[in-house]
């Protein structure tokens, strides 16, 4: 009876499971996440007030770790990947796969294919408007793979329902970012968390409007579901 009670998850406690996680590299955030890190095989949503507020630096520790041996897919990012920032962040730019779809439908298809075939250690997808059925497909695809998946969306999407088990709203704050965990497996997080990002020089971002990395570029096929994307 005692063993059974210990295995019961209570809504007042952070969920603990056998699912694999990786530390975010930010102890204050790890302490608020189930199993103490980013969940693998799950759709994680980052809801941003605007692009370039530090969301990529938030992911820097895990991207540096994964890119050492695995491919990181950047699908439809708002700006160009910046090679010098990659190197200064110890991210292996040779393992970055920059995918430039021609439409949102192609971007979602590319993300599903990357998850389905397990070709990447992590996938980061940027989208503005995502239909509920597309979110469900992404979530289901994530559950069948050993890949980490982040979906970056506008802050306005926080009001929409989502199957994602982890949703975090990010806002800029002096010296770092404010992270408001709006959904997690556990009790509601009452207050936003301040995450210091003090080691990033002003204006030094992984994604840049004016600079392009020699990361591998992929243009997805015009019609989702057609031939495999070609490297260019």
């Amino acid at each position: 009876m005692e063993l059974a009670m210990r295995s019961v998850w209570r809504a007042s406690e952070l969920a603990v499971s056998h699912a694999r996680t990786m530390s975010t590299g930010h102890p204050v955030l790890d302490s608020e996440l189930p199993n103490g890190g980013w969940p693998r095989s799950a759709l994680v949503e980052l809801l941003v007030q605007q692009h370039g507020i530090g969301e990529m630096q938030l992911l820097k520790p895990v991207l540096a770790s994964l890119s050492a041996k695995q491919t990181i897919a950047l699908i439809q990012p708002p700006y160009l990947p910046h090679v010098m920032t990659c190197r200064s962040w110890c991210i292996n730019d040779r393992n970055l796969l920059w995918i430039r779809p021609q439409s949102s439908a192609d971007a979602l298809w590319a993300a599903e294919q990357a998850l389905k075939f397990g070709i990447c250690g992590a996938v980061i997808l940027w989208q503005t408007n995502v239909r509920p059925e597309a979110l469900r497909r992404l979530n289901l695809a994530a559950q069948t793979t050993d890949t980490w998946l982040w979906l970056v969306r506008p802050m306005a999407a926080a009001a929409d329902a989502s199957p994602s088990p982890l949703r975090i709203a990010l806002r800029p704050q002096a010296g770092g970012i404010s992270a408001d965990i709006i959904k997690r497996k556990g009790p509601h997080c009452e207050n936003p968390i301040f995450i210091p990002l003090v080691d990033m020089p002003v204006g030094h971002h992984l994604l840049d409007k004016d600079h392009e990395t020699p990361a591998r570029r992929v243009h997805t096929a015009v019609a989702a579901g057609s031939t495999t994307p070609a490297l260019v």
Side-chain angles (χ1 to χ4, degrees):
M1 179 67 176
E2 182 179 352
L3 179 61
M5 290 299 294
R6 284 201 301 267
S7 65
V8 173
W9 171 67
R10 296 175 176 81
S12 61
E13 303 171 345
L14 285 179
V16 177
S17 70
H18 296 294
R20 182 180 174 186
T21 60
M22 178 180 289
S23 170
T24 66
H26 308 283
V28 65
L29 181 57
D30 283 347
S31 67
E32 296 292 341
L33 298 182
N35 284 20
W38 297 120
R40 189 181 70 174
S41 308
L43 170 62
V44 176
E45 287 189 56
L46 300 180
L47 310 173
V48 297
Q49 192 174 64
Q50 63 188 60
H51 297 301
I53 61 172
E55 66 274 19
M56 294 307 294
Q57 196 183 8
L58 179 70
L59 298 177
K60 179 178 73 171
V62 68
L63 295 183
S65 176
L66 290 173
S67 68
K69 295 183 179 180
Q70 296 178 281
T71 298
I72 309 296
L74 308 177
I75 303 178
Q76 216 168 36
Y79 306 128
L80 306 175
H82 191 287
V83 64
M84 296 309 296
T85 302
C86 289
R87 293 173 182 173
S88 69
W89 288 6
C90 298
I91 294 175
N92 183 359
D93 58 277
R94 294 184 178 182
N95 281 338
L96 288 184
L97 184 63
W98 172 27
I99 304 178
R100 302 182 64 184
Q102 298 180 6
S103 68
S104 292
D106 284 354
L108 291 164
W109 175 80
E112 285 190 46
Q113 298 308 301
L115 294 169
K116 178 181 178 180
F117 293 105
I119 60 176
C120 299
V123 172
I124 308 175
L125 170 66
W126 286 261
Q127 288 292 285
T128 300
N129 298 308
V130 187
R131 297 172 65 89
E133 56 267 30
L135 285 175
R136 288 192 292 270
R137 286 174 62 93
L138 276 177
N139 189 51
L140 289 173
Q143 292 173 8
T144 64
T145 185
D146 292 334
T147 303
W148 275 267
L149 170 64
W150 292 274
L151 171 62
V152 185
R153 307 176 68 193
M155 185 71 69
D160 300 336
S162 171
S164 170
L166 180 60
R167 308 182 80 198
I168 305 177
L170 303 175
R171 295 176 176 85
Q173 191 169 341
I177 55 175
S178 173
D180 187 6
I181 302 176
I182 59 178
K183 183 181 179 182
R184 64 180 177 181
K185 292 184 178 179
H188 177 69
C189 189
E190 296 294 335
N191 300 306
I193 304 162
F194 173 69
I195 302 174
L197 302 175
V198 295
D199 61 335
M200 181 175 68
V202 175
H204 201 194
H205 303 286
L206 182 67
L207 301 176
D208 191 282
K209 295 180 181 180
D210 304 314
H211 298 86
E212 179 179 332
T213 183
R216 291 175 293 156
R217 286 185 295 174
V218 172
H219 293 274
T220 55
V222 174
S226 60
T227 57
T228 303
L231 278 170
V232 297

